[in-house]
Amino acid sequence: MTVLKTSVLVLDCADPEPLARFYAELLGATAGPATGDGELILVTGDSGVVPLGIRRDRNHLPPSWPPPEDSQQAHLRILVADDDLDEAEREAVALGARPLAAEEDGSRLDDRTTLRRFSDPAGHAFVLAAVREDPAAHGGDR
């Protein structure tokens, strides 16, 4: 018998409350404390899926992006409908995301038509990725 499990991507930062609010606004979700874990805030979507956790790390140092060795780092990929990519970018920037130029991470400039790269207010990398189908079909909430 397989034991029921779930997983969540957790981002560490020095001040988790503002970062949790950033992602809750960006994802159209809510943020609140995790049951039984006083150090973790969960960003939860309307469907009840927990897409993201934010944890306090008083000694946190923001990640470098792109990494000096040009190695792949973990990043959050947020799926949006193809026609909504420009609006999703405006929302992210208005909430405090910092756009990363394609040349900063070694990508081609023409990739910008389907991917937009950012760092969140705490410096974590994330990507807005256009999909032709409904993003919810890929496991997204919106």
Side-chain angles (χ1 to χ4, degrees):
M1 180 170 109
T2 302
V3 175
L4 182 62
K5 299 173 189 74
T6 190
S7 63
V8 61
L9 173 65
V10 176
L11 299 176
D12 292 345
C13 64
D15 192 7
E17 290 83 6
L19 191 61
R21 282 193 302 273
F22 168 82
Y23 278 111
E25 287 286 326
L26 185 63
L27 297 171
T30 58
T35 304
D37 188 341
E39 290 295 310
L40 186 65
I41 297 173
L42 297 178
V43 178
T44 309
D46 294 338
S47 66
V49 174
V50 179
L52 190 59
I54 312 292
R55 187 184 72 85
R56 182 180 316 279
D57 177 354
R58 295 186 194 326
N59 299 316
H60 178 263
L61 296 174
S64 65
W65 186 262
E69 307 81 37
D70 198 32
S71 65
Q72 178 66 40
Q73 284 189 359
H75 66 276
L76 181 61
R77 181 171 290 237
I78 300 170
L79 306 177
V80 299
D82 196 27
D83 294 344
D84 293 334
L85 186 58
D86 291 336
E87 181 62 24
E89 179 176 20
R90 286 189 288 274
E91 287 177 1
V93 171
L95 291 169
R98 184 176 68 85
L100 300 174
E103 58 271 8
E104 286 183 33
D105 66 7
S107 300
R108 298 183 320 266
L109 287 174
D110 60 341
D111 285 344
R112 187 162 163 67
T113 59
T114 58
L115 292 173
R116 310 281 168 86
R117 293 163 177 81
F118 301 88
S119 63
D120 68 23
H124 304 100
F126 73 94
V127 174
L128 294 175
V131 294
R132 294 192 194 284
E133 305 88 23
D134 177 4
H138 293 274
D141 285 20
R142 299 186 96 180

